[in-house]
């Protein structure tokens, strides 16, 4: 079943939003570098790679379903934050928005009885639970840490250990 125009447009929009998410996290990485928190910068760089892989998932689904991918301009991200807490609070808020948008695409797929799209989106529903939990968890640790510099550096060292993002799923081999 070919993807509908409405779903194709919604997924193209989400492809762009995933790349925008990656852009935000790379901007946060640069902020953390500028305030000498290399572990948090590393965590955000890995997050940026993950978002790019999410974008590729939407790219492939659109193509495999006979749709057309349209690349659009990526919005400029914020470049300064007043504290690590503000950055991670923004990251958590951003992930809530990503979840809201993905659910919206799910509603379109539901209304069209598009089971292939629903099956594809299921991975993202699960992923968003993790994304929200991760960003909320770090945000809450930063709240607890407050002005305690030594605790901040301990958290920074912990976040430096985040493993690299897995590669996006392989391209289908085609006919
Ligand atoms: Mg994402």
């Amino acid at each position: 079943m070919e993807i509908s125009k409405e779903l194709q447009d919604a997924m193209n929009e989400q492809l762009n939003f995933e790349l925008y998410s990656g852009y935000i996290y790379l901007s946060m990485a640069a902020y953390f570098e500028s305030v000498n928190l290399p572990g948090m910068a590393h965590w955000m760089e890995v997050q940026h790679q993950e978002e790019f892989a999410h974008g590729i998932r939407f790219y492939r689904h659109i193509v495999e379903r006979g749709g057309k991918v349209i690349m659009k301009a990526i919005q400029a991200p914020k470049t300064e934050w007043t504290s690590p807490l503000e950055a991670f609070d923004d990251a958590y808020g951003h992930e809530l928005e990503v979840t809201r948008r993905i659910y919206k695409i799910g509603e379109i797929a539901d209304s069209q009885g598009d089971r292939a799209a629903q099956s594809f989106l299921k991975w993202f529903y699960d992923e968003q639970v993790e994304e929200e939990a991760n960003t909320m968890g770090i945000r809450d640790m930063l709240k607890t840490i407050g002005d305690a510099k030594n605790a901040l550096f301990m958290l920074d060292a912990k976040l430096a250990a985040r493993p690299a993002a897995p590669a996006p799923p392989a391209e289908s081999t085609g006919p």
Side-chain angles (χ1 to χ4, degrees):
M1 181 172 124
E2 227 173 77
I3 199 167
S4 72
K5 172 82 168 64
E6 190 186 0
L7 211 42
Q8 171 197 280
D9 292 348
M11 286 199 187
N12 266 311
E13 192 62 44
Q14 190 59 29
L15 162 57
N16 181 274
F17 205 73
E18 297 290 345
L19 298 182
Y20 171 54
S21 304
Y23 221 38
I24 290 174
Y25 295 134
L26 197 56
S27 189
M28 286 182 180
Y31 157 72
F32 284 120
E33 294 285 6
S34 76
V35 293
N36 300 309
L37 290 165
M40 291 183 189
H42 167 78
W43 194 95
M44 283 296 177
E45 237 187 283
V46 173
Q47 190 63 26
H48 152 259
Q49 291 165 0
E50 271 202 8
E51 300 305 340
F52 187 80
H54 295 167
I56 294 290
R57 281 178 184 266
F58 279 100
Y59 176 97
R60 298 241 163 90
H61 189 74
I62 295 165
V63 171
E64 284 172 3
R65 300 287 310 283
K68 171 100 169 71
V69 168
I70 308 284
M71 302 306 288
K72 296 179 202 149
I74 301 168
Q75 200 186 321
K78 194 167 154 179
T79 55
E80 289 298 336
W81 286 267
T82 56
S83 65
L85 173 59
E86 192 198 20
F88 272 95
D89 195 44
D90 272 11
Y92 175 55
H94 184 76
E95 289 304 326
L96 292 177
E97 173 63 15
V98 171
T99 303
R100 197 190 63 76
R101 286 171 179 247
I102 287 173
Y103 282 12
K104 200 95 195 130
I105 301 171
E107 283 169 25
I108 301 171
D110 274 344
S111 74
Q112 298 180 351
D114 190 330
R115 292 182 186 275
Q118 286 162 353
S119 171
F120 166 76
L121 289 168
K122 187 190 175 296
W123 185 90
F124 281 95
Y125 300 144
D126 297 339
E127 176 70 9
Q128 283 311 114
V129 173
E130 210 178 289
E131 298 285 48
E132 288 179 24
N134 288 343
T135 47
M136 180 177 64
I138 298 169
R139 192 248 346 233
D140 290 349
M141 278 187 253
L142 285 165
K143 273 188 186 169
T144 305
I145 284 171
D147 291 330
K149 283 269 186 290
N150 48 353
L152 180 67
F153 284 117
M154 278 173 70
L155 178 61
D156 190 67
K158 179 178 145 76
L159 297 184
R162 183 177 185 180
E171 194 179 345
S172 75
T173 51

